[in-house]
């Protein structure tokens, strides 16, 4: 499993060297956009609307739009001065609470934590202590230069860091429109609904839930591939190699060979010398 972060978990005077790994992955089927006319992938360029020209990365600065078309420009030096020291990355547990005290609306993303060199014993200590007390740790950590609020908990014998939203990132529920304040249901309706819930109540088995749309989409794609309903761009971008987008080394070599044959200038035909019909005079 790919290690995306190395650091320490600290609670009190205990420090646990750990590695962090993404616990989830996005399996959405990514669809590309093609130009209908020539079937070429569409490019998205950063273009300045005033100068009407593409902008290189080194020409771009960061800014905050505090009002319509009014910005405060922030230099990299300004941002670096605000960022905390990243060399000694640490997950500092500041409190211990019960998991049920945190509403699921706060949870954001999960990361597995594994012990780094020399951290096995301390890792096991924290895991066992959390299990026996039924508590989770509330911590602060820095990921990609951003301070995150997180909880440290146990999931199937493994420590998990779960990033959670700060309270001001959760919108006020009072702002949700058209929510009825009082119940308008009869007692019979409520009893019937409760009976239905009881009949549908079961043990949560995540394996039985599947993404039916993704499965159907992949089957459709495979069917079109098998029926050879595929396409290839009819032309390449000017100035780019025709091997761009080749699916393997052999395709790239063949494409390069074909282009070399097309671009190779035809040899000029040698001009025939015209023989002189005038005979040389011999000396007498």
């Amino acid at each position: 499993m790919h290690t995306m972060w190395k650091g320490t978990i600290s609670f009190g005077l205990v420090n646990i060297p750990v590695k962090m790994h993404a616990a989830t992955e996005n399996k959405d089927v990514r669809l590309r956009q093609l130009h209908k006319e020539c079937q070429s992938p569409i490019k998205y360029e950063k273009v300045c609307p005033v100068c009407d020209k593409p902008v290189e990365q080194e020409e771009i600065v960061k800014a905050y739009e505090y009002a319509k078309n009014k910005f405060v420009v922030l230099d990299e030096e300004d941002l670096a001065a605000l960022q905390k020291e990243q060399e000694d990355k640490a997950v500092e547990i500041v409190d211990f609470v019960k998991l049920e005290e945190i509403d699921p609306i706060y949870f954001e993303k999960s990361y597995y934590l594994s012990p780094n060199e020399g951290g096995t014993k301390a890792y096991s200590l924290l895991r066992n202590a959390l299990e026996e007390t039924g508590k989770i740790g509330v911590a602060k950590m820095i990921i990609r230069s951003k301070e995150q609020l997180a909880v440290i908990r146990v999931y199937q014998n493994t420590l998990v860091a779960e990033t959670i939203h700060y309270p001001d990132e959760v919108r006020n529920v009072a702002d949700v429109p058209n929510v009825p304040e009082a119940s308008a249901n009869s007692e019979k309706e409520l009893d019937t609904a409760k009976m239905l819930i009881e009949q549908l109540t079961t043990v949560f088995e995540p394996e039985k839930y599947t993404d039916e749309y993704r499965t159907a989409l992949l089957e459709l794609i495979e069917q079109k591939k098998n029926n050879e309903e595929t396409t290839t761009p009819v032309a390449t971008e000017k100035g780019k190699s025709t091997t761009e987008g080749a699916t393997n080394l052999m395709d790239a070599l063949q494409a390069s060979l074909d282009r070399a044959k097309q671009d190779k200038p035809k040899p000029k035909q040698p001009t025939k010398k015209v023989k002189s019909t005038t005979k040389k005079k011999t000396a007498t």
Side-chain angles (χ1 to χ4, degrees):
M1 188 175 287
H2 174 68
T3 299
M4 57 177 297
W5 184 93
K6 293 181 182 179
T8 60
I9 297 176
S10 64
F11 65 106
L13 298 177
V14 179
N15 291 292
I16 311 169
V18 295
K19 298 177 182 178
M20 189 169 72
H21 322 270
T24 59
E25 58 181 325
N26 188 342
K27 288 197 172 183
D28 287 346
V29 180
R30 184 186 175 192
L31 301 179
R32 296 288 302 275
Q33 292 185 329
L34 306 181
H35 184 197
K36 187 175 182 179
E37 181 178 332
C38 66
Q39 304 292 289
S40 298
I42 300 299
K43 287 184 59 178
Y44 296 92
E45 294 182 327
K46 295 179 180 179
V47 178
C48 175
V50 176
C51 301
D52 193 25
K53 67 175 184 178
V55 179
E56 299 297 330
Q57 185 61 40
E58 57 269 18
E59 300 178 271
I60 299 175
V61 296
K62 295 179 180 178
Y64 175 75
E65 187 174 12
Y66 64 91
K68 185 67 174 178
N69 289 329
K70 293 184 180 295
F71 302 90
V72 173
V73 176
L74 300 171
D75 297 330
E76 292 298 329
E77 293 78 9
D78 296 330
L79 297 174
L82 297 176
Q83 292 175 357
K84 292 187 176 181
E85 184 63 42
Q86 296 295 300
E87 293 181 359
D88 185 22
K89 297 181 180 178
V91 180
E92 181 186 1
I93 298 178
V94 293
D95 292 308
F96 289 95
V97 301
K98 292 182 178 180
L99 177 60
E100 55 267 27
E101 294 176 345
I102 303 178
D103 191 274
I105 197 170
Y106 283 93
F107 290 98
E108 186 177 12
K109 191 171 178 60
S110 303
Y111 300 92
Y112 290 137
L113 297 174
S114 65
N116 206 347
E117 295 180 7
T120 302
K121 187 175 181 179
Y123 181 97
S124 180
L125 174 66
L126 177 59
R127 180 189 61 192
N128 295 339
L130 291 176
E131 284 185 318
E132 293 193 16
T133 59
K135 301 291 178 63
I136 62 172
V138 179
K140 286 190 174 184
M141 61 187 300
I142 295 177
I143 303 177
R144 300 187 183 93
S145 301
K146 178 184 177 183
E147 186 176 78
Q148 295 270 7
L149 192 61
V151 297
I152 308 299
R153 63 186 184 91
V154 180
Y155 174 72
Q156 296 185 5
N157 208 38
T158 301
L159 289 179
V160 173
E162 196 106 31
T163 56
I164 61 177
H165 294 288
Y166 284 98
D168 60 354
E169 294 178 320
V170 179
R171 292 178 174 177
N172 193 338
V173 70
D175 296 333
V176 181
N178 303 322
V179 176
E181 294 184 3
S183 175
N185 305 111
S186 66
E187 187 174 344
K188 184 177 180 180
E189 290 173 334
L190 182 57
D191 288 341
T192 304
K194 289 162 64 177
M195 287 177 58
L196 179 59
I197 290 174
E198 288 298 325
Q199 290 179 358
L200 296 177
T201 298
T202 184
V203 177
F204 179 60
E205 298 175 357
E207 295 79 11
K208 76 176 186 179
Y209 304 103
T210 59
D211 188 338
E212 297 180 4
Y213 171 77
R214 172 160 55 90
T215 301
L217 179 57
L218 289 173
E219 289 176 352
L220 175 62
I221 292 171
E222 193 64 28
Q223 180 183 347
K224 286 183 172 290
K225 282 172 57 182
N226 294 336
N227 294 338
E228 297 185 355
E229 297 179 47
T230 60
T231 184
T232 303
V234 298
T236 57
E237 185 182 350
K238 186 177 181 181
K240 293 290 183 74
S241 170
T242 56
T243 62
E244 193 175 49
T247 56
N248 54 45
L249 180 59
M250 194 61 224
D251 290 341
L253 290 171
Q254 186 60 52
S256 300
L257 181 60
D258 293 342
R259 180 171 182 178
K261 289 179 179 179
Q262 294 175 0
D263 294 345
K264 186 177 181 180
K266 294 182 179 180
K268 295 182 179 180
Q269 295 295 331
T271 55
K272 294 182 179 180
K273 294 183 178 180
V274 181
K275 293 183 179 181
S276 175
T277 57
T278 305
K279 292 182 179 181
K280 292 184 178 179
K281 293 182 178 180
T282 57
T284 55

